[in-house]
Amino acid sequence: NAGVMQNPRHLVRRRGQEARLRCSPMKGHSHVYWYRQLPEEGLKFMVYLQKENIIDESGMPKERFSAEFPKEGPSILRIQQVVRGDSAAYFCASSPGLQDEQYFGPGTRLTVT
Amino acid sequence: AQSVTQLGSHVSVSEGALVLLRCNYSSSVPPYLFWYVQYPNQGLQLLLKYTTGATLVKGINGFEAEFKKSETSFHLTKPSAHMSDAAEYFCAVSDGNQGGKLIFGQGTELSVKP
């Protein structure tokens, strides 16, 4: 059973471009979480999704950030018009149910130049 | 609102010595508590978790943690450090009623000296 997959592992974008980060949860997992880790900081919750539904987006910046988890395919975290402050490691986690352990992917390291 | 405080951003121990990483939490409801380890340029791996029941929790790689409600603490210990334990350690709290999202502490970097 493959673990949580994230791609790309490293992404470089110029200011103003769009970044798309992908997360494929573990097989059988229908709950997906996105977290952001800024340099020298802990992980901050961004958004929690189930298939086709956003359950909790209380940690998402109000502008430029969006997330989806379609019926088919990976979950996508989209950042429009990136700025230098968006440079961070973005981690995805999945779980089979609400109360279950979250399994983390290896992360996508976004660098905005 | 829930929060986690990890005392000490850097901890250094000698190989074979006791490891103690401190974590205090704040929660208005019974918490679920977790310790994760992160090796450089990798994702997080669960070491152990407390949900209900026994307050002394044993995890992988010889780590354990004790939930102390009166002290709102969940400190991580290992009797004898190994070089391979050098990593970043994160304490986290979850309120299952809020969808299981994890609130993380700032992290503690553990160094192990030979």
Side-chain angles (χ1 to χ4, degrees), chain B:
Chain B
Q2 295 177 302
S3 66
V4 173
T5 301
Q6 290 183 240
L7 298 176
S9 58
H10 297 274
V11 171
S12 181
V13 300
S14 296
E15 191 173 19
L18 171 71
V19 175
L20 171 60
L21 304 182
R22 300 177 186 274
C23 172
N24 289 87
Y25 70 90
S26 172
S27 179
S28 58
V29 298
Y32 290 5
L33 293 158
F34 307 81
W35 275 100
Y36 283 87
V37 61
Q38 184 182 31
Y39 296 99
N41 297 317
Q42 294 187 27
L44 277 69
Q45 180 183 10
L46 181 68
L47 281 175
L48 49 80
K49 64 180 178 182
Y50 169 80
T51 53
T52 59
T55 56
L56 182 62
V57 181
K58 294 188 185 297
I60 62 171
N61 301 340
F63 285 94
E64 63 182 37
E66 186 171 10
F67 170 61
K68 291 187 176 181
K69 184 179 178 180
S70 61
E71 299 178 8
T72 60
S73 69
F74 191 57
H75 301 330
L76 181 71
T77 60
K78 181 174 181 178
S80 177
H82 192 273
M83 296 296 290
S84 61
D85 294 327
E88 187 98 22
Y89 291 80
F90 292 96
C91 181
V93 64
S94 168
D95 172 1
N97 293 326
Q98 294 183 0
K101 69 182 181 186
L102 296 171
I103 307 299
F104 284 90
Q106 294 292 90
T108 298
E109 183 177 354
L110 175 66
S111 301
V112 181
K113 298 175 291 186

